[in-house]
Amino acid sequence: MTNSKEDLEKTRELITEQSMKDLLTKQLEVVGSGGAFVWAIFFLCVTPNILNGFHVSSYTLLGHLPDDQWCGIDALQPTNWTLAEKRSISEYELESGGCTIWDWDYEHLSRMSYSSALNYTRHMALINKPTVVSCKTKGSYEYAEPETTFVADWELTCERSIQRTSAQVALSLGKFCGSFSFGILADKFGRKTSFTLGAAFFIAGSIFCTFTPWYSVFLIGRFALGSASSGLFYPAFTMIVENICLKHRTWMSIAFSASYPVGMILLAIVGYLIQPWRYLQLALTIPSLLLILNCYLMNESPRWLITKQRYSRVYQILFGQPSHYDIQPAIATATETCSDKKTLESATNDTLVEKLKNGPLKSIIELFANPKVRRYIFTSYFMFCVTSLSYYVTALNAANFSVSRYLYIVATGVVDIPSYVVPVIMLRYTGRRITTMFLFMLTGVSLLLVLSVPAGSTTWIVSFAMLGRFGISATYSVVTLYTAELYPTEIRNSALGTCSTWAHVGSISAPYVVDVLGALGWYIPTTICGCCVLVAGLLTLTLPETGTDKLTDKVEDAPAIESAPEKQ
């Protein structure tokens, strides 16, 4: 055993750092062109995104408004009146959905027969009409099929209806915070580390949402799920982009995004079969335990490890055996030695602010320090914000139509899947920039066409809503790929993370655009989105083409707008 170790030490070779980088990069290109390495990354990264489709869309089934709601008046419970008879007296000519009732003396009415009580209330209403009071003053809310929605568990209706919306807002806020923080963590500590932390948040949030008896804890669980969705999505997507060759990178990145609507379709099927909301939430939680297996089998991103000079670990991943190379130490000149001493002395005297600049905030600062990258990042922020705003505005407008929520989710997922296939074909022949611009323009025109539809033409409005969703889903997938390729490896995840943060500014704003501006005119939300999307399409022309074989690693090597577009 000792002799074998000595022989291994003797066979180790000295190699310069640059030669080691070249060796590992070349091997990454080889293994990233096909085989077990590529498919392992693909499946380990794609399957968690199906779970994102589960939970992010589950609000439509878990928190829907009850199909019917009325006020259960305590004083009328002992009577033998039917439910319709009770409501004909307490809610006569009121259209509040059981939130308010007439302020009758229900103790007195309960001692009468129904016909006598009806005649009495009609006669008294002509003489002295009673006031309208909240249901809670006389009884409690009752619902049709209360077990199918968490609204019934915590009475999130009437004056508390805004708290029902907070379940979706908590998710969006979680995605807002998670996209920013997990992006920084992935660049600083690694893609796998960020993914693992996201998986832990996802499992914990799912368990909270399933078993908690308190709405506040349920909101914490929703916030954790939102944060985790970013923690799972962006590190996994980055792993695909930076480790797989261009031949597979395009279709795999689109397939990665298409796994989200697959989750939506599965959600609708499971939701139709399992009606009680807690059992449905449990059914969505159990698959999240598979994330433990993903974390165990997943390797760290080799390209990220190369930028962090962890060459031995990269060699082990790519060659499947320990490295037999030692990095040859660089021979420093007298000038460099003096400079290193000054650097060491200054490092010991660094303030807290300087340590933050050179530590956790370094990748964020680099996004704005370089003028070229700064111009790109502001354009990317606008593109992401507008895309997300349009996506959710379209979804919220379409949801207001009288259709089955299960069929609507399935239809949305079915529409989304081909929207991810179309860009694969376009990207192959027109490149990133032209494809992105065309899809923005198509989406903008589709949304503005709603102006030509009369308000009563439900079929046409739904058709344009689905067309808008098709276009914006296709745009989203291409914009994510384009952004991932646009920025160097050392700041790629920070760029994707902060872009996602701005995307969630759009998603949080969408309900207000629909409810507040939509009240002024039903066409205003789609008109605003259509105009913004067209502007985003024009801004795409200020970005360079990125459809090349080589991704940049350093900020100073970021692609320039002058580079000629290449068809891929």
Side-chain angles (χ1 to χ4, degrees), residues 375-384 539-540 542-543:
R375 185 171 68 251
Y376 297 165
I377 197 66
F378 283 131
T379 301
S380 298
Y381 287 164
F382 183 78
M383 290 164 59
F384 267 75
L539 287 176
T540 305
T542 66
L543 299 176

Side-chain angles (χ1 to χ4, degrees), residues 241 244-251 253-254 383 423-424 426-440 475 477-486 540 543-549 551 565-568:
V241 170
I244 294 177
C245 71
L246 185 64
K247 175 183 176 183
H248 298 297
R249 186 195 308 156
T250 299
W251 75 263
S253 63
I254 299 299
M383 290 164 59
V424 176
M426 294 184 65
L427 288 170
R428 186 173 183 84
Y429 297 102
T430 62
R432 275 50 167 163
R433 182 168 59 175
I434 299 301
T435 300
T436 304
M437 184 195 68
F438 174 80
L439 290 174
F440 268 130
T475 306
S477 63
V478 176
V479 165
T480 305
L481 171 63
Y482 194 10
T483 302
E485 293 180 339
L486 188 61
T540 305
L543 299 176
E545 174 60 44
T546 62
T548 62
D549 288 327
L551 293 176
E566 296 183 22
K567 292 182 180 181
Q568 297 295 334

Side-chain angles (χ1 to χ4, degrees), residues 58-104:
S58 62
Y59 172 76
T60 306
L61 301 182
L62 300 176
H64 66 87
L65 289 173
D67 295 330
D68 193 14
Q69 173 186 321
W70 60 91
C71 183
I73 301 171
D74 295 337
L76 298 182
Q77 297 301 325
T79 67
N80 60 355
W81 300 357
T82 65
L83 175 61
E85 291 172 343
K86 294 175 184 178
R87 297 180 69 176
S88 68
I89 291 179
S90 62
E91 301 176 27
Y92 178 67
E93 293 185 339
L94 293 178
E95 297 182 357
S96 62
C99 294
T100 59
I101 57 174
W102 295 111
D103 190 17
W104 296 112

Side-chain angles (χ1 to χ4, degrees), residues 308-325:
K308 297 300 178 181
Q309 301 177 331
R310 293 163 63 176
Y311 304 121
S312 297
R313 178 58 182 151
V314 181
Y315 194 96
Q316 176 74 44
I317 294 172
L318 298 181
F319 289 93
Q321 61 184 20
S323 173
H324 61 277
Y325 292 106

Side-chain angles (χ1 to χ4, degrees), residues 261-407:
V262 171
M264 295 175 61
I265 295 173
L266 292 175
L267 166 68
I269 295 172
V270 174
Y272 182 78
L273 297 174
I274 305 176
Q275 298 281 324
W277 79 268
R278 285 199 184 271
Y279 291 128
L280 174 58
Q281 181 68 58
L282 178 62
L284 301 179
T285 298
I286 292 174
S288 67
L289 299 177
L290 294 175
L291 290 173
I292 299 173
L293 184 62
N294 284 64
C295 295
Y296 176 76
L297 296 176
M298 181 181 288
N299 283 314
E300 184 53 84
S301 168
R303 188 175 290 274
W304 179 85
L305 289 171
I306 291 174
T307 64
K308 297 300 178 181
Q309 301 177 331
R310 293 163 63 176
Y311 304 121
S312 297
R313 178 58 182 151
V314 181
Y315 194 96
Q316 176 74 44
I317 294 172
L318 298 181
F319 289 93
Q321 61 184 20
S323 173
H324 61 277
Y325 292 106
D326 285 327
I327 302 299
Q328 184 176 355
I331 302 175
T333 63
T335 305
E336 290 174 337
T337 304
C338 183
S339 175
D340 289 341
K341 287 182 179 179
K342 290 180 179 179
T343 303
L344 183 60
E345 290 174 0
S346 63
T348 58
N349 297 323
D350 277 350
T351 63
L352 177 61
V353 174
E354 290 170 336
K355 289 180 179 179
L356 288 174
K357 285 182 179 179
N358 296 323
L361 299 181
K362 181 180 179 182
S363 57
I364 296 298
I365 293 172
E366 288 178 340
L367 284 175
F368 303 99
N370 186 296
K372 181 169 57 177
V373 175
R374 183 168 62 244
R375 185 171 68 251
Y376 297 165
I377 197 66
F378 283 131
T379 301
S380 298
Y381 287 164
F382 183 78
M383 290 164 59
F384 267 75
C385 184
V386 166
T387 303
S388 182
L389 175 67
S390 302
Y391 183 91
Y392 285 99
V393 164
T394 304
L396 291 174
N397 273 348
N400 290 327
F401 299 108
S402 300
V403 294
S404 166
R405 52 183 174 269
Y406 305 105
L407 290 178

Side-chain angles (χ1 to χ4, degrees), residues 382 385-387 389-391 393-394 397 440 443-451 472 506 509-510 512-536:
F382 183 78
C385 184
V386 166
T387 303
L389 175 67
S390 302
Y391 183 91
V393 164
T394 304
N397 273 348
F440 268 130
T443 303
V445 171
S446 299
L447 294 175
L448 290 177
L449 281 175
V450 175
L451 286 170
I472 209 66
S509 303
Y512 299 102
V513 173
V514 171
D515 295 337
V516 178
L517 299 181
L520 302 177
W522 63 273
Y523 54 86
I524 292 179
T526 50
T527 302
I528 291 175
C529 292
C531 294
C532 291
V533 165
L534 290 178
V535 172

Side-chain angles (χ1 to χ4, degrees), residues 177-230:
C177 298
S179 59
F180 181 84
S181 56
F182 280 104
I184 297 175
L185 287 172
D187 280 336
K188 181 66 177 176
F189 300 105
R191 308 338 187 190
K192 181 179 178 179
T193 301
S194 181
F195 181 92
T196 303
L197 185 60
F201 270 61
F202 199 95
I203 294 172
S206 299
I207 293 173
F208 282 178
C209 290
T210 302
F211 298 107
T212 179
W214 304 290
Y215 188 57
S216 57
V217 178
F218 180 81
L219 293 181
I220 293 173
R222 295 286 291 180
F223 181 88
L225 283 174
S227 302
S229 67
S230 297

